[in-house]
Amino acid sequence: MRYISVFPIVAILCILFGSAFTGLVIAPGVASDVVRAPSVGLVAYSPSEAKGRKIYAREGCVYCHSQQVRNVKADENLVAAFGVSKAGDYFYDLPHFLGTSRQGPDLSNEGRVWRREIGAPARDYLIGHFINPRQYNPNSIMPAFDYLSTQELSDLTDYIQSLGAWKDNVKVAAAGL
Amino acid sequence: MTSIQDRDNSVMLGNGIKPKSEPLPIDLPDSAAQIWLYSGIFWMSVTMLIGVVEAIKLFYPEFLQGVPALAYGRLRPVHINVGLFGFMSMGYLGATFYMVPRLTQTPLFSERLGSLTAWFWNFNLLGGCMGILMGFSKGKEYTEIPFPFDMMIGLLVIAIAGNLFSTITLRQERRVYVSLWYILLAIIPFPIYYTLGNASKFSGIEDAIINWFYSHNLFGIWLTTLGLATLYYMVPKQVNKPLYSHIVSFVGFWTLAAFYPWNGGHHVIWGPVPMWVMTASVTASIAMFIPTCATMINFGGTAWGTWEIMKRDVSYRFSLLAYVCYVGASLWGTVLAVMSLNAMLHFTNMTIAHVHLGFLGFGVPGLIAFTYFYLERSLKLKYSQNLAEWHFWLTMLGIIGYVVSMGISGWIEGAAWEAGGSPQSTMVDRYPYHVARAVSGLIVLAGQFLFVWNVYKTVNYPVSLPTDSLDSLQKTGVTS
Ligand code: HEM
Ligand code: HEM
C-alpha cells in the first residue's frame, strides 16, 4: 500500500521515456539505408588523417567550426559552391564533428579549398595558419596552435585536406564517364 | 489547503525512530546535503572563472596563449563539464538530499552513502577535467570526460538514485509532492541515456542523433528537473502559503515528462539527419510551450501579491529571478526550434544566449536562493544582508548583460549570413559584444566572490537568528 502512489508514477515515466528512446535512438538505427550507408565515392580516413582527426578532437576545433552545409538561406554561398551535406558523408566519422557553433568558418569542404593538388603552398598556408592565424587574418580569434609538434601539424593538415576532397573525385569520375 | 511542504521541517530523524546513542558526524542529518551543496558552490565559482577566461579569449586570443592546457579548445569543454556535472548536478543534488527526507518525513536511507558519493564525485570530476586539459577529451560535446571517469559518474548516479529511491519507498508521508515527481524523473532514466551517450560506438549521423538525445535529456530531465523540484519546494515556503495550483503542476509535470525526451533532434535542425527526426523534435519542442506555461502560471500565481517579501528577502528574490529566467529560456528555446528561425540563428551566438539564460539565469540564482534559504531556515543563521543585496544586483546585471549582448550578436550574425556574409566577415561586428559578454561575466564573478565570502563567514562565524524573528517575519509578509 505504501508504494501505491509512487509505482504508477515510475511506470508512466518509463513508458514516456521508452517511447522517446524508441523514436530517437532505435528507429534511426533501423532506418539504416538513410543513416547507415556511406555516400557514393566516400573514402575512409588514412592513418595520418585519422591521427589528425584525433588532434581535431583533442584541441576542441569542433567548438568553433561546424562540418555541415544546410539547405537554408544562411548557407546559400556554401550550397552554391559545395552542395548540401548528406547523412552518408559522415559514415566513417567517430565521433561526429557536426558542430553547433560557427565562430569560424564551416570546414566540411576545406579539402576542396586547400586542395592536395595545389601541393606545398596549400600545406604551408594551413600549417602557417595553425601556428599563427593572426599572421594571415589580423582580426582572427582562432587560437594559435604553436605548441603542436611538426608531426602533429602535418597529420592535422592531412585531415583538413581530406575534408570533402572525395566529392571532387566523384565529380571527376562522373565527368570522365 | 495545507500541503505537505508546509509542514515543520525539523523532523529529521523520522517519527518514532530513536537516534542511535552517538551518531558519527558523517551520519548526522543533512551531512550529505551539505557536502553536495558546498561542492556545488565551489564548482559554480570554478565554472564562472573559466567562463570569463574563455570569454576573454574570444576577443583577445593572445590571453594566456602558449599553455596547451589553457587553450580555448580545452578550457571550453572543462567549462561545460564543470558547469553541468560540478555546479548544476552537485548543487541541486545537495538541495535534493535536503528535500527528500523532509518531503517523505523519513531520514535519508544512508547519510554515509550520500556523503561518500559526494566526495567520490568531486575527485572523479577533478580527474575527468584534468584528463580533458591534458588532451584526453573524447571530443564529442557533453561527453568529453574521458574513460574511466565518465563511467564512474554513471555508477555514482546509480548509487545516489538508489539512496534517494529507497528513502522514497520507505517514506512515512504517503502523499507525493510535486518536487518528488521531478526527482523521480531525474533519477530513473539517467543511467540509461548517460551510458548510451558516453559509451556507445556508433558512427556518423547515428552518433550525432544519439549524442543529442543524450545531451538534451541531460539538460532537460536531469538538471532542469532537479532545479524545478527545488523551486517547487522552496517558493511556497518563502512566501508562506501553499502552491497556487496542484492541478496545474500536475499538467506541467506530465507534459514535460512526455515532451522533453523527444527534444534531442532540435540541435540538428536542417542538418543531414532524416526529416522525421527533425519534425518529431521540432513538434515536441513547440509542445514544450505547455509545461512552460504551466510553470509560469503556477509560480506566477504563488508569487502574486508578495511585494513585501520580495523587498525584504533576498533569497526569495533570487528564486523569482530563477523562475523568470527559466520561463524566458524555455520560451526562447521554443522559438529557436521554429525551423525558419533556426535556419537563421543556428550556429550563432543566439544559442549561447539561450544556454546562459538557462544555466546562468535559472541554474545559478536557483542554487543561490536555496543556499540562502538553507542558511536562514535550516541552520537558523544570519547572513550579511548587505553583501547579499550587492550579490543580487551584480548577478542580475551580469545575466542581463550576458544574454542581451549575445542575443544581439547572434541576431547580427544570422542576418549577415542570410545577406551573403560569412563567419569571417562578421568577426569585427562580433568584437564589441564579445567584450560586453566578458565584462558581464566579470560582474557575475564579482557577485559570486561576495556570495562565497558571505557563506563562509556565516557558517564559520555563526550569528544565530532570534528564534521568533523568522516566524513573525513570515506572518507579516503574507498579504493575501
Ligand atoms: C561568469 C559566467 C560565464 C561566462 C563568462 C561564460 C562564458 C562562456 C563562453 C565564452 C562560452 C563559449 C561560447 C561560444 O562557444 O561561443 C560558454 C559556453 C557554455 N557555457 Fe558558459 N559562461 C558562464 C557561466 C556558465 C555557467 C554558470 C554555466 C552552467 C552550467 C555555463 C554553461 C555553458 C555551456 C553549457 C556552454 C556551451 C554552450 C553550447 O555549446 O552551445 N556557463 N560560456
Ligand atoms: C522548453 C524548453 C526548451 C526548448 C524548446 C529548447 C530548445 C533549444 C533549441 C532549439 C536549441 C538549439 C539551438 C541551436 O543550436 O540552434 C537549444 C540549445 C540548448 N539548450 Fe535549450 N531549450 C529549452 C530549454 C532549455 C533550458 C531550460 C536549458 C538549460 C537549463 C537549455 C539548455 C540548452 C543548451 C545547453 C543548449 C546548447 C546545446 C549546444 O549547442 O551545445 N534549454 N535549446
Side-chain angles (χ1 to χ4, degrees):
Chain A
M1 278 302 283
R2 25 156 67 152
Y3 311 123
I4 200 121
S5 47
V6 165
F7 182 72
I9 298 182
V10 174
I12 300 173
L13 286 179
C14 290
I15 294 171
L16 291 176
F17 181 77
S19 68
F21 187 89
T22 316
L24 288 183
V25 177
I26 299 175
V30 175
S32 49
D33 48 332
V34 193
V35 169
R36 276 194 162 170
S39 298
V40 181
L42 181 70
V43 266
Y45 296 108
S46 74
S48 70
E49 288 163 10
K51 271 190 220 143
R53 205 166 193 280
K54 288 227 173 73
I55 299 167
Y56 192 94
R58 188 184 80 195
E59 300 304 334
C61 313
V62 68
Y63 303 114
C64 291
H65 292 288
S66 63
Q67 288 192 17
Q68 49 172 316
V69 177
R70 306 160 298 162
N71 189 14
V72 301
K73 190 146 178 268
D75 285 6
E76 230 168 22
N77 294 338
L78 296 172
V79 176
F82 307 116
V84 177
S85 305
K86 294 185 202 59
D89 302 356
Y90 302 89
F91 184 74
Y92 297 111
D93 288 8
L94 193 161
H96 76 90
F97 289 145
L98 289 181
T100 54
S101 164
R102 279 192 192 155
Q103 291 295 344
D106 184 86
L107 294 182
S108 52
N109 294 287
E110 201 61 12
R112 301 162 85 182
V113 179
W114 299 102
R115 296 193 312 280
R116 286 207 188 93
E117 296 79 72
I118 302 176
R123 284 189 77 83
D124 290 348
Y125 174 84
L126 283 173
I127 291 181
H129 181 269
F130 293 148
I131 294 177
N132 185 4
R134 274 158 293 290
Q135 190 182 331
Y136 301 87
N137 182 342
N139 291 323
S140 179
I141 53 167
M142 174 155 151
F145 293 97
D146 46 5
Y147 53 83
L148 297 181
S149 70
T150 321
Q151 184 58 44
E152 286 175 324
L153 286 168
S154 162
D155 291 339
L156 187 60
T157 309
D158 282 349
Y159 171 61
I160 297 293
Q161 285 194 315
S162 78
L163 290 169
W166 56 275
K167 293 179 198 162
D168 282 338
N169 299 338
V170 173
K171 266 200 198 142
V172 172
L177 275 178
Chain B
M1 185 161 50
T2 57
S3 52
I4 314 162
Q5 90 274 17
D6 290 337
R7 297 258 192 95
D8 176 22
N9 68 24
S10 63
V11 194
M12 282 308 299
L13 287 166
N15 300 340
I17 300 175
K18 284 233 171 78
K20 290 188 208 102
S21 49
E22 273 287 312
L24 293 169
I26 199 171
D27 294 321
L28 286 176
D30 282 345
S31 61
Q34 276 189 5
I35 304 176
W36 285 101
L37 180 63
Y38 295 150
S39 308
I41 297 173
F42 168 76
W43 291 114
M44 170 154 63
S45 321
V46 173
T47 200
M48 285 174 174
L49 184 66
I50 300 176
V52 170
V53 173
E54 315 173 56
I56 295 175
K57 278 171 174 278
L58 279 180
F59 66 86
Y60 175 53
E62 281 92 356
F63 184 61
L64 298 179
Q65 183 173 303
V67 190
L70 298 182
Y72 177 82
R74 295 196 191 179
L75 280 182
R76 192 180 183 280
V78 173
H79 172 65
I80 297 173
N81 283 292
V82 167
L84 268 49
F85 293 110
F87 147 54
M88 287 289 282
S89 297
M90 290 201 83
Y92 282 106
L93 277 174
T96 307
F97 275 106
Y98 175 89
M99 285 185 286
V100 167
R102 288 168 175 81
L103 290 172
T104 55
Q105 297 288 310
T106 310
L108 189 64
F109 178 72
S110 167
E111 284 290 342
R112 194 175 293 193
L113 179 63
S115 309
L116 284 180
T117 42
W119 281 113
F120 259 110
W121 188 293
N122 273 324
F123 290 118
N124 184 58
L125 185 68
L126 188 68
C129 291
M130 287 311 199
I132 297 175
L133 290 179
M134 281 155 53
F136 295 101
S137 163
K138 293 218 293 294
K140 193 166 40 167
E141 271 189 285
Y142 306 99
T143 70
E144 290 96 344
I145 294 183
F147 186 83
F149 303 106
D150 55 348
M151 288 301 112
M152 196 64 200
I153 292 185
L155 290 179
L156 286 171
V157 171
I158 293 175
I160 293 157
N163 201 351
L164 294 171
F165 198 76
S166 307
T167 316
I168 294 173
T169 45
L170 294 172
R171 70 193 185 282
Q172 309 279 319
E173 168 60 65
R174 293 216 23 260
R175 282 175 299 171
V176 183
Y177 181 61
V178 38
S179 293
L180 280 183
W181 307 349
Y182 279 102
I183 291 169
L184 286 172
L185 173 57
I187 62 180
I188 292 170
F190 184 94
I192 301 171
Y193 59 78
Y194 184 83
T195 317
L196 180 78
N198 278 276
S200 64
K201 286 269 180 277
F202 297 102
S203 69
I205 292 308
E206 219 181 347
D207 187 37
I209 296 173
I210 288 177
N211 183 199
W212 289 116
F213 174 75
Y214 150 69
S215 305
H216 209 90
N217 282 333
L218 184 68
F219 322 140
I221 61 176
W222 171 247
L223 304 174
T224 304
T225 41
L226 290 181
L228 282 180
T230 310
L231 284 185
Y232 270 112
Y233 176 82
M234 192 166 50
V235 169
K237 281 181 179 301
Q238 285 169 326
V239 295
N240 205 18
K241 62 182 188 190
L243 198 62
Y244 177 67
S245 160
H246 285 280
I247 310 275
V248 174
S249 53
F250 183 86
V251 172
F253 175 76
W254 287 108
T255 47
L256 184 140
F259 300 138
Y260 236 141
W262 280 95
N263 271 1
H266 68 209
H267 295 270
V268 278
I269 300 176
W270 295 112
V273 300
M275 193 62 197
W276 56 267
V277 171
M278 281 183 236
T279 322
S281 290
V282 168
T283 314
S285 308
I286 291 171
M288 282 299 292
F289 190 62
I290 302 169
T292 308
C293 278
T295 311
M296 183 158 70
I297 294 169
N298 224 347
F299 284 112
T302 311
W304 194 254
T306 54
W307 291 107
E308 282 306 310
I309 309 178
M310 221 181 290
K311 266 190 250 159
R312 189 188 66 234
D313 186 352
V314 186
S315 163
Y316 177 53
R317 230 182 293 145
F318 269 114
S319 299
L320 289 185
L321 180 60
Y323 151 67
V324 169
C325 291
Y326 171 75
V327 171
S330 297
L331 293 178
W332 192 324
T334 301
V335 170
L336 275 180
V338 174
M339 294 189 74
S340 56
L341 282 166
N342 191 277
M344 171 184 173
L345 298 171
H346 185 53
F347 293 136
T348 68
N349 279 335
M350 194 60 96
T351 312
I352 304 300
H354 163 72
V355 171
H356 287 85
L357 190 59
F359 288 125
L360 190 60
F362 159 60
V364 167
L367 192 66
I368 292 169
F370 178 76
T371 310
Y372 285 134
F373 172 89
Y374 174 69
L375 293 178
E376 189 174 65
R377 305 287 172 107
S378 186
L379 298 183
K380 307 254 187 284
L381 296 176
K382 194 166 144 51
Y383 55 82
S384 158
Q385 200 64 32
N386 229 335
L387 285 181
E389 284 290 340
W390 274 96
H391 177 207
F392 177 81
W393 293 109
L394 287 174
T395 309
M396 182 145 117
L397 186 68
I399 294 169
I400 296 175
Y402 194 120
V403 173
V404 169
S405 59
M406 284 301 101
I408 298 177
S409 154
W411 188 266
I412 293 176
E413 280 174 85
W417 295 351
E418 291 212 327
S422 67
Q424 287 101 322
S425 74
T426 50
M427 207 128 57
V428 179
D429 305 326
R430 270 180 280 157
Y431 185 86
Y433 300 100
H434 282 183
V435 176
R437 183 245 311 262
V439 172
S440 314
L442 270 176
I443 295 175
V444 173
L445 194 63
Q448 179 73 5
F449 180 77
L450 300 183
F451 173 54
V452 172
W453 176 248
N454 201 352
V455 174
Y456 175 82
K457 280 291 226 191
T458 310
V459 174
N460 287 291
Y461 305 93
V463 180
S464 322
L465 283 172
T467 26
D468 55 320
S469 74
L470 254 181
D471 306 285
S472 59
L473 279 179
Q474 281 180 7
K475 294 276 151 44
T476 53
V478 185
T479 50
S480 56

